[in-house]
Amino acid sequence: MHYLKTAVIFPFFLSALATPVPVGDTLATRDSSTFISRLENTLKGLGSLTKGVLQEVDLLIGGLQDVVEGKTDPVTTIEEAVGSLSDVRNASEAGLVGVAIDLVTKGLAPKNIVDLVSGLNEESINSFNNTNPIDPQTSIFPKSSSDAPYTQSEEDLRAAVYIPEKFKYGADGKQPILLVPGTGDPAGVSYYFNFEKLIPETDFADAIWVNIPNNSLADIQFSSEFIAYAINYVAGITNTTIGVVAASQGNIGVQWALKYWPSARDSVSDFLAISADFHGSLLAEECLIPNTGCTPAVMQQEYDSNFIKTLRSDDGDSALVPTTSVYSGPDEVVTPQTDPDASGALKNAHGVGATNVQIQLACPGLPAGGFYPHAGLLVNPITWALFVDAMKHDGPADLSRIDLDPICNRILTEGLVLTDLLGTETAVVLDSVVHALEYNYQGPAEEPAIRDYARSSSQ
Ligand SMILES: *[C@@H]1O[C@H](CO)[C@@H](O)[C@H](O)[C@H]1NC(C)=O
Ligand SMILES: *[C@@H]1O[C@H](CO)[C@@H](O)[C@H](O)[C@H]1NC(C)=O
Ligand SMILES: *[C@@H]1O[C@H](CO)[C@@H](O)[C@H](O)[C@H]1NC(C)=O
Ligand SMILES: *[C@@H]1O[C@H](CO)[C@@H](O)[C@H](O)[C@H]1NC(C)=O
């Protein structure tokens, strides 16, 4: 976080963003008290929390009550929001609950945002129990005999795919884009304030997403089955190749799915990786919430985990489909995230095309290339420009094709406002606190075994 405070770019932010943007939205809201009760009820259901965790969650509830009662001044401009975000402690310092407390007490979770998050949580957009009666053209369970075996039923795998009512199945010439979420949250809420809002405004892309059961806190090998199936399902019901957009852990899930379900590679024309941890993270954040048990997915995302080593072996650290990866040096969750050692960077041993973009190098000293945290990249204008370029051309995005001038000088993607920045940052954190508490992992304190299909003779 210190990058922002010391960087010369900081004054640029202030001058470029001096216009106040009103916070306000009336979509899908519930009263904030819904979220507070949900947190309280989750706590009641847990017998095993230590006093320290209970005290922290109490602090969070107190902070939320202050927001409801109007005792916390909300940030009112993007400039203020960026300043306050830079004061939020990082997850290794404060833990997930500590980060949530900081967001709430620093005015980054205004009442309308908490209302939105409370409402969104109950929306069907987050369901992993969807009814999807349309069968793909040919059977995809499995699609090819080279694919790894599924351990989940086709019914459960298919139910995780969420098809928005307005989805056109490629009939309008728009390319289907599958959105894949990161650790702790379903796709519905993760992308609500960014790609779900931006994609419908385009004339070339149509969004659809996969909500992974247990919110990607479980074994990533389990989550990857949902991703592999979703890729082939969406391609199968639209008769076309699709684009895939993933955030954070979603990226290693996608890469794992592409590696061990090779049939899925034929279904994907482009993969946009946002804040990916293809090499895990050095930030040893073993337990999202201490003493509730370290969730398998978090253990698997350590820098040298067996999962990461297996994923990267046999050129799994190279793009398997044309891949555009975008990341931010001061990422507070995935580290290192600076070139040439960025965890988000992929090689190109398979020759399908890999474009790696660290935003600070793409727009040096300019707002879009400034301080950007992990989730924040979802609203970054460089991310969006890369998405557009990748989807509109064969192969991955190419920065040299993009007119960077107007892009570098924005802080948020055109079309997004303060609510979207705050929603993107706070919704995922607040929601994942509840999800991590609910998941309440009590299994072994070591990562799950590598499945047989991924064991090489050397292991
Ligand atoms: C999924 O939905 C069906 C009804 O459509 C219901 O019977 C079932 O209990 C639901 N399962 C879960 C896990 O929510
Ligand atoms: C997911 O959560 C359910 C409870 O909701 C549990 O029964 C199941 O074992 C979990 N799956 C994994 C892979 O952790
Ligand atoms: C895909 O192809 C099948 C068989 O040709 C056809 O029945 C179906 O309508 C097509 N779907 C779309 C969305 O084009
Ligand atoms: C997290 O914060 C601590 C204390 O400020 C700092 O030492 C550490 O470098 C930070 N980690 C990341 C990844 O920013």
Side-chain angles (χ1 to χ4, degrees), residues 416-449:
L416 298 183
V417 295
L418 178 61
T419 309
D420 302 313
L421 169 64
L422 298 181
T424 297
E425 287 289 342
T426 59
V428 292
V429 172
L430 288 179
D431 247 8
S432 58
V433 168
V434 177
H435 292 147
L437 285 169
E438 280 170 354
Y439 185 64
N440 192 25
Y441 178 72
Q442 298 294 341
E446 62 215 40
E447 58 168 304

Side-chain angles (χ1 to χ4, degrees), residues 128-131:
F128 54 84
N129 191 19
N130 302 290
T131 308

Side-chain angles (χ1 to χ4, degrees), residues 1 90 92-93 283 331-332 335:
M1 300 272 174
N90 67 41
S92 68
E93 222 182 333
L283 198 82
D331 188 314
E332 78 286 12
T335 175

Side-chain angles (χ1 to χ4, degrees), residues 214 218 222 439:
N214 300 359
F222 162 83
Y439 185 64

Side-chain angles (χ1 to χ4, degrees), residues 362-413:
C363 295
L366 293 170
F371 168 82
Y372 249 91
H374 187 66
L377 268 199
L378 288 164
V379 296
N380 182 286
I382 306 170
T383 303
W384 181 254
L386 290 168
F387 170 76
V388 174
D389 188 74
M391 297 307 157
K392 288 192 163 181
H393 296 88
D394 284 342
D398 181 349
L399 262 189
S400 71
R401 275 194 300 248
I402 298 174
D403 178 11
L404 281 173
D405 223 34
I407 293 180
C408 291
N409 283 296
R410 300 188 64 89
I411 185 141
L412 299 182
T413 300

